Amino acid sequence: MKNTGMRWKLPLVCLLWQLAMIILYGVFIRYDEESDAHWIETKRIENITSDIENDFYFRYPSFQDVHVMIFVGFGFLMTFLKRYGFGSVGFNFLIASFSIQWALLMQGWFQSLDFSDGKIKIGVESLINADFCAASVLIAFGAVLGKVSPVQLMVMSVFEVTLYAVNEYIILNLLGARDAGGSMVIHMFGAYFGLAVTRVLYRPQLDQRKNESVYHSDIFSMIGTLFLWMFWPSFNSAISHHGDGQHRGAINTYASLAASVLTTIAISSLLGKKGKINMVHVQNATLAGGVAMGTAGEMMLTPYGALIVGAISGTISTLGFLYLSPLLEKHLHIQDTCGIHNLHAIPGLIGAIVGAVTAAAATEGVYSRGGVDLLPFHRLIATFGFEGRFEGRTPSQQGGFQAASLCVTLLISLAGGIIVGFILKLPIWGDPPDENCYEDEVYWEVPEDSLYTVLASNPPPLKPNSNGNSEP
Amino acid sequence: MKNTGMRWKLPLVCLLWQLAMIILYGVFIRYDEESDAHWIETKRIENITSDIENDFYFRYPSFQDVHVMIFVGFGFLMTFLKRYGFGSVGFNFLIASFSIQWALLMQGWFQSLDFSDGKIKIGVESLINADFCAASVLIAFGAVLGKVSPVQLMVMSVFEVTLYAVNEYIILNLLGARDAGGSMVIHMFGAYFGLAVTRVLYRPQLDQRKNESVYHSDIFSMIGTLFLWMFWPSFNSAISHHGDGQHRGAINTYASLAASVLTTIAISSLLGKKGKINMVHVQNATLAGGVAMGTAGEMMLTPYGALIVGAISGTISTLGFLYLSPLLEKHLHIQDTCGIHNLHAIPGLIGAIVGAVTAAAATEGVYSRGGVDLLPFHRLIATFGFEGRFEGRTPSQQGGFQAASLCVTLLISLAGGIIVGFILKLPIWGDPPDENCYEDEVYWEVPEDSLYTVLASNPPPLKPNSNGNSEP
Amino acid sequence: MKNTGMRWKLPLVCLLWQLAMIILYGVFIRYDEESDAHWIETKRIENITSDIENDFYFRYPSFQDVHVMIFVGFGFLMTFLKRYGFGSVGFNFLIASFSIQWALLMQGWFQSLDFSDGKIKIGVESLINADFCAASVLIAFGAVLGKVSPVQLMVMSVFEVTLYAVNEYIILNLLGARDAGGSMVIHMFGAYFGLAVTRVLYRPQLDQRKNESVYHSDIFSMIGTLFLWMFWPSFNSAISHHGDGQHRGAINTYASLAASVLTTIAISSLLGKKGKINMVHVQNATLAGGVAMGTAGEMMLTPYGALIVGAISGTISTLGFLYLSPLLEKHLHIQDTCGIHNLHAIPGLIGAIVGAVTAAAATEGVYSRGGVDLLPFHRLIATFGFEGRFEGRTPSQQGGFQAASLCVTLLISLAGGIIVGFILKLPIWGDPPDENCYEDEVYWEVPEDSLYTVLASNPPPLKPNSNGNSEP
């Protein structure tokens, strides 16, 4: 009998890490120019005439949408399990709250490498980036959902955030890749990391019948799906350039997601039992278009390009749920509770490739009319950041660096996931025995007089007969 | 036995239409000035000093609120049916995702009639308008909810979006009516269209007992109600004039909706069984104040005017649910699953009339202090669009055109709905037999070991005795 | 047998009060400069170059977030009760809709004391303030949840809004306290008012076993928790100064809330049964960091200060649920359904104290670099409002006034709550008998064929045996 007691482990980890955060924040983290009370002087010095120019007003609405995606989106998406609703939404809450704190530090340290005073300056864009990092952790959580203890999740989070920041620094700062919505940085990274972890934690005796939904848990899950789906345009445009960059990112993602819905339902019905639609596909594959638009969303992809990417992503993602996931489990021993391989890994890959191609195909004409008194290529320069360290880079070179970033991301996420997986395998973290996987009662006080107990029965206690009336 | 199999029909429709969208987008749709990478040149040419002047920052937060209303609001509002949750939220998702794509094209073609290069330029306002058009389709969906196949819904959508764009063009562009929140364009149009369709699809043998809720499905439904209610101020102000137009639209709608809640609950309790409040009324009639503020929301209606409109709308809508809906079903054979006649048709009518009266009563004094160096009437001109084609129009004339628009909307929606109803009656679309109406299992894979089966029993299998304990 | 019939009382109250609102709005309420059609002239007179300077664009996104907190956040938070979902979300809807209307008047009257024409001018900031006032009412509702009739709630609302406006006027306008997120004005006031009311309404015979959740009602409740949690940064920054004020308020609240989650789960696991986490704590104490950041959120608290406050608040709030609430009930006869003492009263107190200390510790250096040509102290002046009536006030004096405001708030809320409690005790409001407390069927039409009846059984009708199969 495993000891799944959390009385000392979980509080210890939570309290110590929170204490560490407080100390580190005290040493390193400060308000940035736009959130500090000295903003009034910044305005004067930089000749800013209005408070509305504060970055807060450019990004805060998008930040709040992203915030909803992290906590309600991811949290409720995972409530599809019939007896794991508390864990889905509650552990999501816990590890996201920890990850955003740790991400502000890790991302800040890497960013502040380029600056001098050793302090991390935070503003609304930092909050968005921290939420993005948390998204990556929650994606990995989807792979191990129901099979790990909260302490394991906290340990996983601390490592994943760290590696995330490393990978992000390498591909965005060193390689100069563009990835505003994180097809690579967030989705591929989180997914391959999580898949590696769950592979290492493989449980051969696991009864997958508990990895199932009931009617109303599927509807709860749709709350998560829809908030993710609706706010994805904000996700992909949240940290893009002011003006047309954010505007275009939202439009492309909007179009891509709409196309995903149609192809998802088409493939689900075409290949499902008796032509019926499967809720698992609707809950997940409809989002593939958002994932796949993460890199190219802010680029001049054109709206029909976005539709094509969305349509393809929805199709492939649904096919993944139908055919690939069972194979991965059977042959590669990857037990992927939420199917993140289909929702994040493959669409993330698609997004990374689309981004590389779109970057490589960028031309002066598309990004600038090239007026005499306007720098030729200037918008290209702004969009792709061909400035400073990357001055003089050409679009085709950029495409190459995008592709290189894809490879770096794959490498770091898989290697990191394997190592972290072995750390999580240590028998000290209170993981649940096989027979208690996908059940809340291991780690949560579950109401006694509840439907929860009814849900345990399999098949259900009451079967309606053919005319719809039940007989006990 | 009807053939309700969707294996070929639904995928075919979805994939072909998605393909058509991709091709048409490729030919016609481009980014507009503010979402294109040339925005940097537009700024220079139009002497715009800051990216914050991009329309994105004026409208994107409202767009996101509207987006939530379309997908979560409408979707969850309809989950009140005890065994139709998947269909409510899932088909809502499907047809909205299709409608927004098709609407961008249809609305774009009509708008681009006034322009020269034959391309449709899209920006955030286009996305809002596309969402508005989808709202109209979802309103009609409410009338036929549970009685049609997804293929029928897709067919209905393609026609309704088309007719919506025609009607919108006639009343906004040709007649010069104002209808920023769509009392006529969206609500009346969607409702009368849907009512006509459901009339043609009349099912005499339908067992209306399945058109019922259970306790927790009513709570799911309140998620939809509340997101609609909360974000309606954004809906009614999303495409109003920058500045005071949007500001006023939000305030008026806020006030009107608050009043609706009080009168709805008052009437529900006054006329319900034993003075008890009915959730159907709370879920629906509380929203009537938003519908009725669709036309006049941006006008100088005054806050107390908004309260009056909201109070009246809530009252009439609740009375409609109590008395009118049963009559419509019995005598006119209109089976209106969600009661859209009470929530959209009548409040839409009220809104159209209020708009016409408010427009006709507009005076120079209210809309402008008439300073010497300010064009007299100028704000009146801006608010009502008395420019270009409509230069020199007076408020009372405007009132007349508003009323004419109401009639045009009625005509097109009813005629269109009847025709589309007959198209949907063709026996090729896989509609469900009467005994499977309001049931998910026809078109969805429903979890086997689920409460879904328990919900089929009627009355419930377990009755608590008087002291609250159950006996089998 | 008590008469709980609402047929005449509830409609009468609702309709009369709505009528009163309409009349009073007609007499007193007008659009303000920025929502009136004369905005175009205001722009010219005040030399405003862009519509984006309209306060609407600074505050509307935050307003909508606050609006979601009021209606979905508070409403769903209270759906944890297994048989009181309709009442939670429905009565929340009713009294919030009434309170915002009444608050616009009451707050407007007090604000307009400083102006001449006797009219109340409303804009987006007024809407936010009205929502804030409604929040206070809903907090009090949490204490009496399930034990009062809707008429009692309406009566309570009318008095509480009135006293709220009085208290707000005294501490913000007369004492010059800062309390942008309402640690005192909203949370302490609402909580101590509600606790006093519920004390007066003490029911000695109440069977607290009905004050319980079931599995899926706890998940519904998490919808409320999460929307409150996610949007709290908007709540605390909604009415702060443009620019850095709003920006900093959001950052501080974000940090504080994240810390609350970790300490809440740590303490819940440390002191709960067998180390298991309790959903009641996760639903409530995780929010304590937001409450406690209500006063100091906009100040230069520093991010690590915010983490400390959040960590402490989460800890104390969880301890309150574990140890204090049972004591309060046993010894002080305070039956606090939702535990508002732990979520709002204590964290509000903490927030008030943190605010007083932070204000007293404010220095010129932190708030301004003190350039030669910049007024020394000027940002301090703006942040704390040391202008006009409060010119020349020092930070330490400000700290004193903050502390005085805390005391005033305590006094008015407790005294007011006791008086209103006795008014609500009059046997004319149709309150439910003890045995029908926490049950929807008293005031709501509950679906007959529903799980609602199953939920009444205690223990549940079907117990799974050890291997997970049920036996009747």
Side-chain angles (χ1 to χ4, degrees), chain B residues 276-295:
Chain B
K276 295 184 181 181
I277 310 166
N278 189 323
M279 272 308 249
V280 173
H281 307 154
V282 176
Q283 284 155 5
N284 292 280
T286 52
L287 301 167
V291 175
M293 202 48 57
T295 305

PDB file of all heavy atoms in Angstrom, chain B residues 276-295:
ATOM      1  N   LYS B 276     -44.162  31.048  -6.706  1.00  0.00           N
ATOM      2  CA  LYS B 276     -42.764  30.669  -6.859  1.00  0.00           C
ATOM      3  C   LYS B 276     -42.191  31.190  -8.174  1.00  0.00           C
ATOM      4  O   LYS B 276     -42.895  31.318  -9.165  1.00  0.00           O
ATOM      5  CB  LYS B 276     -42.619  29.147  -6.797  1.00  0.00           C
ATOM      6  CG  LYS B 276     -43.000  28.597  -5.433  1.00  0.00           C
ATOM      7  CD  LYS B 276     -42.772  27.099  -5.344  1.00  0.00           C
ATOM      8  CE  LYS B 276     -43.190  26.596  -3.961  1.00  0.00           C
ATOM      9  NZ  LYS B 276     -42.966  25.152  -3.813  1.00  0.00           N
ATOM     10  N   ILE B 277     -40.900  31.462  -8.142  1.00  0.00           N
ATOM     11  CA  ILE B 277     -40.227  31.989  -9.321  1.00  0.00           C
ATOM     12  C   ILE B 277     -39.884  30.841 -10.259  1.00  0.00           C
ATOM     13  O   ILE B 277     -39.499  29.757  -9.818  1.00  0.00           O
ATOM     14  CB  ILE B 277     -38.943  32.738  -8.926  1.00  0.00           C
ATOM     15  CG1 ILE B 277     -39.224  33.752  -7.821  1.00  0.00           C
ATOM     16  CG2 ILE B 277     -38.332  33.439 -10.121  1.00  0.00           C
ATOM     17  CD1 ILE B 277     -37.965  34.294  -7.150  1.00  0.00           C
ATOM     18  N   ASN B 278     -40.021  31.091 -11.555  1.00  0.00           N
ATOM     19  CA  ASN B 278     -39.743  30.066 -12.558  1.00  0.00           C
ATOM     20  C   ASN B 278     -38.397  30.337 -13.221  1.00  0.00           C
ATOM     21  O   ASN B 278     -38.162  31.430 -13.736  1.00  0.00           O
ATOM     22  CB  ASN B 278     -40.874  30.073 -13.588  1.00  0.00           C
ATOM     23  CG  ASN B 278     -40.780  28.902 -14.539  1.00  0.00           C
ATOM     24  OD1 ASN B 278     -39.693  28.484 -14.934  1.00  0.00           O
ATOM     25  ND2 ASN B 278     -41.922  28.367 -14.915  1.00  0.00           N
ATOM     26  N   MET B 279     -37.525  29.357 -13.222  1.00  0.00           N
ATOM     27  CA  MET B 279     -36.189  29.545 -13.776  1.00  0.00           C
ATOM     28  C   MET B 279     -36.207  29.871 -15.270  1.00  0.00           C
ATOM     29  O   MET B 279     -35.314  30.549 -15.771  1.00  0.00           O
ATOM     30  CB  MET B 279     -35.337  28.288 -13.557  1.00  0.00           C
ATOM     31  CG  MET B 279     -34.614  28.276 -12.245  1.00  0.00           C
ATOM     32  SD  MET B 279     -33.667  29.780 -11.956  1.00  0.00           S
ATOM     33  CE  MET B 279     -32.009  29.179 -12.060  1.00  0.00           C
ATOM     34  N   VAL B 280     -37.197  29.360 -15.979  1.00  0.00           N
ATOM     35  CA  VAL B 280     -37.270  29.670 -17.408  1.00  0.00           C
ATOM     36  C   VAL B 280     -37.329  31.176 -17.617  1.00  0.00           C
ATOM     37  O   VAL B 280     -36.677  31.726 -18.508  1.00  0.00           O
ATOM     38  CB  VAL B 280     -38.492  28.988 -18.059  1.00  0.00           C
ATOM     39  CG1 VAL B 280     -38.657  29.442 -19.494  1.00  0.00           C
ATOM     40  CG2 VAL B 280     -38.345  27.481 -17.987  1.00  0.00           C
ATOM     41  N   HIS B 281     -38.087  31.838 -16.775  1.00  0.00           N
ATOM     42  CA  HIS B 281     -38.201  33.293 -16.914  1.00  0.00           C
ATOM     43  C   HIS B 281     -36.884  33.978 -16.573  1.00  0.00           C
ATOM     44  O   HIS B 281     -36.440  34.895 -17.259  1.00  0.00           O
ATOM     45  CB  HIS B 281     -39.325  33.816 -16.020  1.00  0.00           C
ATOM     46  CG  HIS B 281     -40.622  33.111 -16.232  1.00  0.00           C
ATOM     47  ND1 HIS B 281     -41.601  33.005 -15.270  1.00  0.00           N
ATOM     48  CD2 HIS B 281     -41.101  32.441 -17.306  1.00  0.00           C
ATOM     49  CE1 HIS B 281     -42.615  32.306 -15.748  1.00  0.00           C
ATOM     50  NE2 HIS B 281     -42.344  31.955 -16.976  1.00  0.00           N
ATOM     51  N   VAL B 282     -36.284  33.536 -15.482  1.00  0.00           N
ATOM     52  CA  VAL B 282     -35.024  34.151 -15.071  1.00  0.00           C
ATOM     53  C   VAL B 282     -33.944  33.937 -16.144  1.00  0.00           C
ATOM     54  O   VAL B 282     -33.138  34.821 -16.428  1.00  0.00           O
ATOM     55  CB  VAL B 282     -34.555  33.577 -13.714  1.00  0.00           C
ATOM     56  CG1 VAL B 282     -33.197  34.137 -13.322  1.00  0.00           C
ATOM     57  CG2 VAL B 282     -35.586  33.896 -12.642  1.00  0.00           C
ATOM     58  N   GLN B 283     -33.971  32.756 -16.748  1.00  0.00           N
ATOM     59  CA  GLN B 283     -32.951  32.470 -17.770  1.00  0.00           C
ATOM     60  C   GLN B 283     -33.137  33.324 -19.023  1.00  0.00           C
ATOM     61  O   GLN B 283     -32.170  33.581 -19.735  1.00  0.00           O
ATOM     62  CB  GLN B 283     -33.005  30.993 -18.166  1.00  0.00           C
ATOM     63  CG  GLN B 283     -32.389  30.057 -17.145  1.00  0.00           C
ATOM     64  CD  GLN B 283     -32.950  28.652 -17.231  1.00  0.00           C
ATOM     65  OE1 GLN B 283     -33.733  28.337 -18.112  1.00  0.00           O
ATOM     66  NE2 GLN B 283     -32.565  27.811 -16.292  1.00  0.00           N
ATOM     67  N   ASN B 284     -34.340  33.724 -19.297  1.00  0.00           N
ATOM     68  CA  ASN B 284     -34.600  34.360 -20.581  1.00  0.00           C
ATOM     69  C   ASN B 284     -35.073  35.809 -20.492  1.00  0.00           C
ATOM     70  O   ASN B 284     -34.466  36.699 -21.082  1.00  0.00           O
ATOM     71  CB  ASN B 284     -35.642  33.539 -21.358  1.00  0.00           C
ATOM     72  CG  ASN B 284     -35.102  32.195 -21.799  1.00  0.00           C
ATOM     73  OD1 ASN B 284     -34.391  32.110 -22.778  1.00  0.00           O
ATOM     74  ND2 ASN B 284     -35.411  31.141 -21.054  1.00  0.00           N
ATOM     75  N   ALA B 285     -36.165  36.031 -19.756  1.00  0.00           N
ATOM     76  CA  ALA B 285     -36.792  37.352 -19.820  1.00  0.00           C
ATOM     77  C   ALA B 285     -35.912  38.435 -19.214  1.00  0.00           C
ATOM     78  O   ALA B 285     -36.048  39.618 -19.546  1.00  0.00           O
ATOM     79  CB  ALA B 285     -38.156  37.311 -19.125  1.00  0.00           C
ATOM     80  N   THR B 286     -34.996  38.066 -18.344  1.00  0.00           N
ATOM     81  CA  THR B 286     -34.070  39.051 -17.782  1.00  0.00           C
ATOM     82  C   THR B 286     -33.206  39.693 -18.867  1.00  0.00           C
ATOM     83  O   THR B 286     -32.600  40.741 -18.639  1.00  0.00           O
ATOM     84  CB  THR B 286     -33.117  38.374 -16.781  1.00  0.00           C
ATOM     85  OG1 THR B 286     -32.519  37.243 -17.417  1.00  0.00           O
ATOM     86  CG2 THR B 286     -33.857  37.932 -15.540  1.00  0.00           C
ATOM     87  N   LEU B 287     -33.123  39.032 -20.012  1.00  0.00           N
ATOM     88  CA  LEU B 287     -32.283  39.541 -21.096  1.00  0.00           C
ATOM     89  C   LEU B 287     -33.035  40.467 -22.035  1.00  0.00           C
ATOM     90  O   LEU B 287     -32.440  41.090 -22.913  1.00  0.00           O
ATOM     91  CB  LEU B 287     -31.710  38.367 -21.900  1.00  0.00           C
ATOM     92  CG  LEU B 287     -30.854  37.376 -21.109  1.00  0.00           C
ATOM     93  CD1 LEU B 287     -30.609  36.115 -21.910  1.00  0.00           C
ATOM     94  CD2 LEU B 287     -29.539  38.021 -20.723  1.00  0.00           C
ATOM     95  N   ALA B 288     -34.352  40.545 -21.854  1.00  0.00           N
ATOM     96  CA  ALA B 288     -35.179  41.313 -22.788  1.00  0.00           C
ATOM     97  C   ALA B 288     -34.746  42.775 -22.852  1.00  0.00           C
ATOM     98  O   ALA B 288     -34.795  43.411 -23.904  1.00  0.00           O
ATOM     99  CB  ALA B 288     -36.653  41.201 -22.407  1.00  0.00           C
ATOM    100  N   GLY B 289     -34.292  43.299 -21.719  1.00  0.00           N
ATOM    101  CA  GLY B 289     -33.855  44.696 -21.697  1.00  0.00           C
ATOM    102  C   GLY B 289     -32.654  44.964 -22.587  1.00  0.00           C
ATOM    103  O   GLY B 289     -32.490  46.080 -23.102  1.00  0.00           O
ATOM    104  N   GLY B 290     -31.840  43.963 -22.780  1.00  0.00           N
ATOM    105  CA  GLY B 290     -30.704  44.124 -23.680  1.00  0.00           C
ATOM    106  C   GLY B 290     -31.140  44.140 -25.132  1.00  0.00           C
ATOM    107  O   GLY B 290     -30.709  44.973 -25.921  1.00  0.00           O
ATOM    108  N   VAL B 291     -32.051  43.206 -25.455  1.00  0.00           N
ATOM    109  CA  VAL B 291     -32.571  43.151 -26.819  1.00  0.00           C
ATOM    110  C   VAL B 291     -33.256  44.463 -27.183  1.00  0.00           C
ATOM    111  O   VAL B 291     -33.031  45.021 -28.259  1.00  0.00           O
ATOM    112  CB  VAL B 291     -33.576  41.984 -26.955  1.00  0.00           C
ATOM    113  CG1 VAL B 291     -34.216  41.981 -28.327  1.00  0.00           C
ATOM    114  CG2 VAL B 291     -32.892  40.658 -26.663  1.00  0.00           C
ATOM    115  N   ALA B 292     -34.055  44.954 -26.253  1.00  0.00           N
ATOM    116  CA  ALA B 292     -34.856  46.146 -26.537  1.00  0.00           C
ATOM    117  C   ALA B 292     -34.017  47.416 -26.588  1.00  0.00           C
ATOM    118  O   ALA B 292     -34.502  48.474 -26.988  1.00  0.00           O
ATOM    119  CB  ALA B 292     -35.955  46.291 -25.485  1.00  0.00           C
ATOM    120  N   MET B 293     -32.780  47.346 -26.162  1.00  0.00           N
ATOM    121  CA  MET B 293     -31.919  48.522 -26.196  1.00  0.00           C
ATOM    122  C   MET B 293     -31.009  48.502 -27.427  1.00  0.00           C
ATOM    123  O   MET B 293     -30.111  49.330 -27.569  1.00  0.00           O
ATOM    124  CB  MET B 293     -31.084  48.539 -24.900  1.00  0.00           C
ATOM    125  CG  MET B 293     -30.532  49.873 -24.478  1.00  0.00           C
ATOM    126  SD  MET B 293     -31.703  51.224 -24.505  1.00  0.00           S
ATOM    127  CE  MET B 293     -32.960  50.576 -23.423  1.00  0.00           C
ATOM    128  N   GLY B 294     -31.276  47.555 -28.329  1.00  0.00           N
ATOM    129  CA  GLY B 294     -30.391  47.375 -29.471  1.00  0.00           C
ATOM    130  C   GLY B 294     -30.357  48.547 -30.427  1.00  0.00           C
ATOM    131  O   GLY B 294     -29.316  48.884 -30.983  1.00  0.00           O
ATOM    132  N   THR B 295     -31.487  49.175 -30.635  1.00  0.00           N
ATOM    133  CA  THR B 295     -31.499  50.283 -31.589  1.00  0.00           C
ATOM    134  C   THR B 295     -31.193  51.627 -30.921  1.00  0.00           C
ATOM    135  O   THR B 295     -30.383  52.403 -31.400  1.00  0.00           O
ATOM    136  CB  THR B 295     -32.870  50.366 -32.295  1.00  0.00           C
ATOM    137  OG1 THR B 295     -33.155  49.097 -32.886  1.00  0.00           O
ATOM    138  CG2 THR B 295     -32.866  51.439 -33.361  1.00  0.00           C
TER     139      THR B 295
END
